[in-house]
Amino acid sequence: MAKVATQVVRHPQTQKWWKSRSFDVVQLIVFSGVLVWLTLRGADSMNYVWQWHRMPQYLYRIIDGEIILGPLVDGLFVTLEIGAYSIVLGLTIGLVTAFLRLSDSFSGRLLAKVYLEIVRNTPLLVQLFVFYFILGPILEMDRFWIAVLCISFFEGSFASEIMRAGILSVPRGQWEASDSVGLNRGQAYRYVILPQAVPIMLPPLVGILVNLIKHSAIVSVIAVFDLTTTGLDIISETFMAFEVWIVVAAIYLVLTITLSLCVSGLEKYFRDRTSTG
């Protein structure tokens, strides 16, 4: 009996309207509108008088044709400085901790485990006070570097687990291949394991870096004059709470989005490099 082959014709499915890009844009517009409405409604219920015309002077002023940066921009530079140092130091602490967790040394694994348990199970504010009131006087460090060190150790504890998971995701055969060509452990990490693990680490590390920027606002409690502290000072002088916090929130939003885009570009670079290599 001859078998008749039947060909199934598959028609491309029409994209659901609630999954379209246009619907995403509509949702964003509606959400933004509701947020603006709630803000205006809250201000009206408090008989709040908006003073947006006074805000530019806290960003910049033009005096005799020269642009003078305002206190909010000065605070932004401090926040960027804290973030830059904390990102480098936090990622370094995370990588070292991940190596210790994966090492054959019992004392190294124990040290890393104790560090992770202490930092990840205590509030960041408490850790900041410990650094400021205890370690600061002992190490004779100023409050800026105390803030950098505290944030670095806090975020480094979360980054370490992401890095460890990324390293473990590399197939075991890559380690065996490294051994077969005579590479030691350090060379295997440098030339074989990390180049494959970094693209896997980058997406979750974006969240860690964004949180680092946001958590840097906590340094205001030890009077480091970052963006948040400067905003508090301006509010205490002018009582423009709504305007100042909206501007400060917008600046943080621009910072985190820019950081996410930069890391996404870096992720694409490593992915393309791995695929072509």
Side-chain angles (χ1 to χ4, degrees), residues 78 128 132 143-144 147 218-226 229 233:
V78 175
L128 184 61
Y132 183 65
R143 62 189 65 191
F144 175 86
I218 202 172
V219 304
S220 61
V221 301
I222 59 173
V224 176
F225 287 94
D226 69 326
T229 307
D233 290 345

Side-chain angles (χ1 to χ4, degrees), residues 157-179:
S157 65
F158 295 94
S160 68
E161 292 301 280
I162 294 174
M163 293 177 177
R164 186 172 71 94
I167 292 173
L168 291 176
S169 67
V170 177
R172 186 64 187 174
Q174 298 296 315
W175 286 103
E176 296 172 354
S178 302
D179 292 336

Side-chain angles (χ1 to χ4, degrees), residues 9-28:
V9 179
R10 297 182 179 180
H11 299 282
Q13 293 182 351
T14 305
Q15 187 180 27
K16 305 297 183 181
W17 62 269
W18 59 83
K19 295 182 180 180
S20 64
R21 181 66 60 86
S22 300
F23 184 65
D24 292 338
V25 174
V26 171
Q27 289 184 90
L28 178 61

